[in-house]
Amino acid sequence: MLAEERYNAILRLVNDKKTVTVQELTEQLDTSESTIRRDLTVLHRKGSLIKVHGGATALNPEFMTKDAALSVRRDLNIEEKVAIAKYAAALVEKDDFVYMDAGSSVDLMIDHITEQEAVYVTNAIGHAQKLLKKGCRVYLLGGELKETTEAIVGAEAIEGLKKYNFTKGFFGANGVSREKGFTTPDITEALVKEKAVEQCRKSYMLSDSSKINQISSVTFAAFEDGILVTTRLKDESYRTCRNVVEVE
């Protein structure tokens, strides 16, 4: 059996049973234990499964099709989000031209921003108000106001982004997957995020570890298009990625 055939067979068994042992795989595929262990390491590094002691488990990505209100999302996994927010805020430097997405992690990031000489652009009214109170220079995109996330979306917002060239951008994501990239439930918000990422020299995706291997309805950026800032990874395969930063 060729390596690629074994990989496919292993993934079928793992996704079917959710958890398999090395012994089960050696018996099912009539292959040596050392070969199976090598295969599991390869598939783990690819992000196709999670290698555990004595076997492997399925990734089991969760699909999300609805967005919770900003007030609810802000308080979920709050300790992890604060750690991410502090790290992200420290990335803003003097003379940066910064885009700030309408995400709950980005909202927390503003609490820790100290750089007043940078210029900020956002599509969130709440973000703009908080930045203004900190004495920052801030621009607000025009367009339709979305109730649940308090984000400004639509064609006017996308058109407004075209003239900007940001040094850094900070984004929230409902799901993070090496295969599907960075995802969000609402297509109108995804289109604004997508355009904003295109206009950024560096895009930082702020996502706590609960978002890893979850997939939402719409991809707004490929996994390689952003720098993932997250907390302690449960899926160790992401540690091999050069665009992943773990914060304590």
Side-chain angles (χ1 to χ4, degrees):
M1 188 183 285
L2 296 173
E4 208 59 45
E5 292 175 322
R6 284 200 314 274
Y7 297 161
N8 291 332
I10 289 169
L11 288 174
R12 276 197 301 272
L13 287 166
V14 171
N15 290 328
D16 234 13
K17 300 185 73 174
K18 306 305 177 192
T19 301
V20 291
T21 65
V22 170
Q23 188 178 349
E24 284 177 302
L25 291 170
T26 56
E27 290 171 1
Q28 290 276 344
L29 303 180
D30 193 23
T31 309
S32 70
E33 186 176 309
S34 60
T35 298
I36 291 297
R37 290 187 187 279
R38 258 196 321 270
D39 289 349
L40 292 180
T41 298
V42 170
L43 292 168
H44 178 86
R45 286 175 178 165
K46 285 183 176 180
S48 303
L49 51 70
I50 300 172
K51 185 181 178 184
V52 296
H53 182 69
T57 62
L59 291 176
N60 275 334
E62 293 182 28
F63 285 80
M64 300 160 292
T65 57
K66 292 184 180 177
D67 217 340
L70 180 64
S71 58
V72 174
R73 289 183 294 119
R74 197 180 192 277
D75 295 330
L76 293 174
N77 303 310
I78 188 68
E79 289 183 8
E80 292 188 41
K81 285 182 177 177
V82 168
I84 292 167
K86 287 179 179 178
Y87 178 90
L91 294 172
V92 180
E93 299 173 295
K94 179 183 176 182
D95 299 328
D96 264 337
F97 188 41
V98 182
Y99 181 76
M100 307 203 76
D101 170 61
S104 57
S105 294
V106 179
D107 180 49
L108 283 169
M109 174 188 166
I110 296 170
D111 296 337
H112 303 282
I113 281 178
T114 57
E115 185 53 71
Q116 293 183 328
E117 292 191 47
V119 176
Y120 301 88
V121 177
T122 184
N123 70 324
I125 289 175
H127 292 8
Q129 290 173 331
K130 286 175 74 171
L131 287 163
L132 203 60
K133 286 177 182 177
K134 281 181 164 279
C136 300
R137 187 178 174 191
V138 56
Y139 291 87
L140 187 63
L141 293 182
E144 178 189 353
L145 182 62
K146 183 182 168 189
E147 184 181 359
T148 49
T149 58
E150 300 176 12
I152 294 170
V153 297
E156 189 177 341
I158 294 168
E159 192 62 33
L161 282 165
K162 290 179 181 178
K163 63 178 175 284
Y164 294 128
N165 300 297
F166 303 108
T167 56
K168 296 183 178 94
F170 297 91
F171 300 83
N174 294 69
V176 179
S177 161
R178 291 170 76 174
E179 181 187 4
K180 299 295 183 182
F182 299 98
T183 55
T184 192
D186 185 88
I187 190 165
T188 57
E189 197 156 349
L191 290 170
V192 175
K193 286 174 182 280
E194 181 180 43
K195 187 60 188 173
V197 169
E198 287 178 12
Q199 302 302 114
C200 294
R201 187 184 301 164
K202 284 187 178 179
S203 296
Y204 294 91
M205 309 300 184
L206 314 184
S207 296
D208 64 78
S209 59
S210 70
K211 309 283 182 65
I212 308 295
N213 290 326
Q214 292 200 17
I215 298 169
S216 200
S217 306
V218 189
T219 297
F220 65 87
F223 183 72
E224 299 78 19
D225 290 343
I227 300 165
L228 173 62
V229 182
T230 188
T231 41
R232 186 170 294 278
L233 291 162
K234 295 169 187 172
D235 182 348
E236 293 189 2
S237 68
Y238 283 83
R239 290 204 173 98
T240 64
C241 302
R242 293 185 178 181
N243 63 325
V244 175
V245 177
E246 278 184 279
V247 298
E248 295 295 332

